[in-house]
Amino acid sequence: METKQQTNKQLEKVSDLIEDIRIAMLTTVDEQGNLVSRPMAALQVDEDGTIWFFTKRTSPKVDQIENNQHKVNVSFADVSDASYVSVSGTAQELDDRAKVDELWNPQAKAWFPKGKDDPELILLKVHIDMAEYWNSSDSTMVRLFQQATAAITGNPPKMGENEKVYN
């Protein structure tokens, strides 16, 4: 995924953490009020904290986004590096062919067999309102040791950074 230098410096850490995590889970609310999550390929995080995705014009998530005042959650997880990011944001569908051209990649053809000119293809942009991240710079062995020590002592392990960031 491409990430651009953030104009909001607080989002720089969030952008850095999600840069190498290609697949995110996008959560919306369905008609019955259930939380519904699905995997989505994140394409780009631009300068103002907008995460870009491709989606189908007729996808149920498009209606769910509109029916829930455009509020969504996007979560990223890199278990091997113990990096986790949860983004609360505002989503919007957009039919911008120039942006589609900019973000198009060969993997997208699996979902859009007619290519970037597929009439079903639109963009989903999620503007980050708030993000929270958890990140440990410790190795897996150190994290396991901290968890074992916590189990013995009854004190919660210190597993790295945790911060909320507002845009």
Side-chain angles (χ1 to χ4, degrees), residues 29-30 109 116:
V29 179
D30 73 9
K109 192 156 176 124
K116 58 185 173 183

Side-chain angles (χ1 to χ4, degrees), residues 14-25:
V14 171
S15 181
D16 288 346
L17 289 172
I18 65 177
E19 181 173 20
D20 295 324
I21 306 172
R22 181 162 161 66
I23 303 299
M25 294 297 288

Side-chain angles (χ1 to χ4, degrees), residues 40-108:
M40 300 280 292
L43 302 167
Q44 180 185 76
V45 180
D46 68 15
E47 305 86 359
D48 70 345
T50 297
I51 306 169
W52 292 89
F53 302 90
F54 288 142
T55 193
K56 290 188 176 183
R57 187 181 307 275
T58 56
S59 170
K61 75 177 127 333
V62 173
D63 290 334
Q64 292 167 1
I65 288 167
E66 288 181 9
N67 293 338
N68 194 40
Q69 302 173 344
H70 301 270
K71 292 293 188 186
V72 297
N73 179 270
V74 184
S75 57
F76 298 85
D78 183 344
V79 177
S80 64
D81 282 344
S83 296
Y84 308 92
V85 179
S86 176
V87 170
S88 296
T90 308
Q92 176 186 3
E93 317 78 52
L94 190 64
D95 194 352
D96 180 338
R97 299 332 279 178
K99 190 71 174 176
V100 167
D101 286 343
E102 176 189 337
L103 297 175
W104 182 257
N105 63 69
Q107 294 87 3

